[in-house]
Amino acid sequence: MTEALKRLSEEGVAIWLDDLSRRLITSGDLGELLDQSYVVGVTTNPAIFQKAISAGEGYERQVAELAVRGVSVEEALRMITTADVRDACDVLHPVFEVTGGRDGRVSIEVDPRVAHDAEATAAEAKQLAWLVDRPNTLIKIPATRGGLPAITETVAQGISVNVTLIFSLERYREVMDAYLTGLEQADAKGLDISRIHSVASFFVSRVDTEIDKRLDALGTEEATALRGKAALANARLAYQAYEQVTASDRWRALLAKGANAQRPLWASTGVKDPAYPDTLYVTELVAPGTVNTMPGATLEATADHGEITGNTVSADGEEGYARARAELDALARVGISYDEVVQLLEDEGLEKFETAWNELLASTKAELDRLSPKKG
């Protein structure tokens, strides 16, 4: 049942789980995934925490203690989420040690409401790193234009980063530049840059969802022929951009000082359209030096019937990248603006995280009020 996951790992793809809850940790299920399913990392986001904490299992005692202390809702929420991430980091620490810090990572995101404020985002990143207090934490920073300087500042402080919500190729190149600049600044401060790690979370399925919707609205034969191609083409061109950066003199200078490459991470890999194979964004995005973070259902589907046939991203070299470019260029010919779509997806993605965070604040407040000692 795990042969496909084994093969995927052997092809150089790090398998991370896109999920976390207290029950997953305390039940031993997370440890079992590490032992049996080749999982070597965990990612979280506000929506994942909203789902986990709203379910309530395992959180009541901590919430009751926080209520007795009379802490604010925001402080309570951070104490709850960082506790889960800290415990998950401890579970994954053996992987972190074995891989020299490359994997065994657990991500936690800055407050999405400050995503457009570089100074506030960098301050939040520093605070989260201090709260979790584990070397295998990755601080997630959304790749908004305002977030780019925060990426540089956070990396320059020696904090490892997961840059999230990347949809466009242009923004991805800006993210890679922000990371390299942060490494250069950290090196200038005398920090050991070999201890800094990063991934860049390039979102996949949502691209197909939005573009397919527009293609369906057009309804032409030419438009229909383009369904289900944009997300993979976009991701493959992102990998090409990664190859170009890691072949540059600028990168080689940092590599000589011990720097770690910022690995492309395929995010949003759960298939939304039932017409597509449920392992589409795993089997078609196999490339060395990448991470694929999967929700539980996608991980199980890959283990059950995923067919790993080798490198499906860069094996064809420039010819394959030319095909991917042609597939994206074809969208413009039918009247679909790539730039408009990726900006919309970034805006919507951040809005969804903000909504989940606000819902989480509201439900946490309700629990604090319910468990608060009666007054008078």
Side-chain angles (χ1 to χ4, degrees):
M1 285 289 289
T2 59
E3 183 59 32
L5 299 177
K6 179 176 182 290
R7 180 72 190 279
L8 190 62
S9 180
E10 290 171 345
E11 289 291 338
V13 179
I15 301 168
W16 291 8
L17 178 70
D18 192 27
D19 194 17
L20 186 64
S21 68
R22 193 155 294 180
R23 188 209 60 78
L24 187 68
I25 299 167
T26 58
S27 66
D29 288 351
L30 178 58
E32 187 173 307
L33 288 172
L34 305 187
D35 293 338
Q36 300 181 13
S37 298
Y38 297 88
V39 171
V40 292
V42 172
T43 51
T44 70
N45 61 44
I48 285 173
F49 277 127
Q50 197 275 333
K51 179 181 177 183
I53 297 173
S54 296
E57 188 175 349
Y59 294 98
E60 185 166 291
R61 180 177 177 180
Q62 185 183 14
V63 175
E65 291 172 350
L66 291 167
V68 168
R69 289 174 52 207
V71 303
S72 69
V73 176
E74 303 236 351
E75 182 182 352
L77 186 52
R78 272 312 185 199
M79 295 299 290
I80 293 166
T81 56
T82 55
D84 279 359
V85 170
R86 186 181 308 112
D87 289 345
C89 281
D90 290 343
V91 174
L92 273 90
H93 194 265
V95 178
F96 174 77
E97 289 288 340
V98 167
T99 61
R102 181 177 175 86
D103 288 305
R105 297 278 177 173
V106 184
S107 298
I108 183 169
E109 188 159 340
V110 299
D111 186 335
R113 296 171 300 178
V114 300
H116 295 294
D117 184 331
E119 186 176 359
T121 295
E124 172 92 352
K126 185 176 181 181
Q127 175 73 358
L128 282 177
W130 179 82
L131 280 171
V132 177
D133 192 27
R134 293 294 185 272
N136 49 331
T137 312
L138 285 177
I139 307 302
K140 287 181 85 171
I141 297 177
T144 60
R145 188 161 298 282
L148 294 171
I151 296 164
T152 295
E153 172 61 23
T154 303
V155 171
Q157 293 181 41
I159 297 171
S160 295
V161 168
N162 175 345
V163 184
T164 189
L165 282 179
I166 307 172
F167 295 95
S168 83
L169 295 167
E170 179 183 2
R171 185 57 52 81
Y172 179 43
R173 292 189 185 95
E174 292 172 338
V175 165
M176 289 189 285
D177 177 73
Y179 175 61
L180 296 187
T181 303
L183 288 177
E184 290 161 347
Q185 292 181 7
D187 179 59
K189 292 178 182 178
L191 298 181
D192 180 0
I193 61 174
S194 71
R195 300 174 66 86
I196 303 171
H197 288 257
S198 184
V199 294
S201 297
F202 201 86
F203 278 53
V204 187
S205 67
R206 296 185 196 181
V207 174
D208 271 343
T209 300
E210 180 61 31
I211 287 179
D212 284 357
K213 180 175 68 175
R214 297 180 183 217
L215 292 170
D216 290 343
L218 291 170
T220 64
E221 184 176 340
E222 184 181 7
T224 301
L226 296 174
R227 291 188 91 258
K229 294 183 177 180
L232 292 176
N234 201 37
R236 286 167 179 154
L237 291 173
Y239 192 78
Q240 180 190 36
Y242 163 74
E243 288 183 320
Q244 291 168 345
V245 167
T246 53
S248 68
D249 290 340
R250 183 185 185 193
W251 167 247
R252 288 195 187 100
L254 287 164
L255 181 63
K257 296 179 178 182
N260 299 289
Q262 182 184 55
R263 287 181 291 171
L265 179 151
W266 311 128
S268 184
T269 57
V271 175
K272 309 294 192 295
D273 189 334
Y276 300 150
D278 55 1
T279 61
L280 179 67
Y281 304 122
V282 178
T283 60
E284 294 301 316
L285 289 176
V286 178
T290 61
V291 179
N292 194 307
T293 184
M294 311 178 204
T298 303
L299 180 68
E300 291 171 9
T302 303
D304 181 64
H305 52 265
E307 296 183 8
I308 308 303
T309 59
N311 187 332
T312 51
V313 174
S314 61
D316 292 339
E318 292 305 315
E319 183 180 341
Y321 293 141
R323 285 197 302 270
R325 171 55 62 190
E327 286 168 347
L328 285 191
D329 289 345
L331 295 173
R333 290 200 298 272
V334 297
I336 294 177
S337 168
Y338 171 86
D339 290 341
E340 180 186 324
V341 167
V342 293
Q343 186 60 56
L344 173 69
L345 290 172
E346 179 185 307
D347 294 342
E348 286 184 346
L350 190 59
E351 183 180 348
K352 287 175 183 177
F353 282 170
E354 288 179 0
T355 297
W357 193 253
N358 288 329
E359 289 174 353
L360 193 46
L361 285 169
S363 59
T364 301
K365 182 180 185 304
E367 282 298 283
L368 285 171
D369 291 343
R370 182 176 72 85
L371 297 169
S372 178
K374 295 194 181 294
K375 300 185 180 173

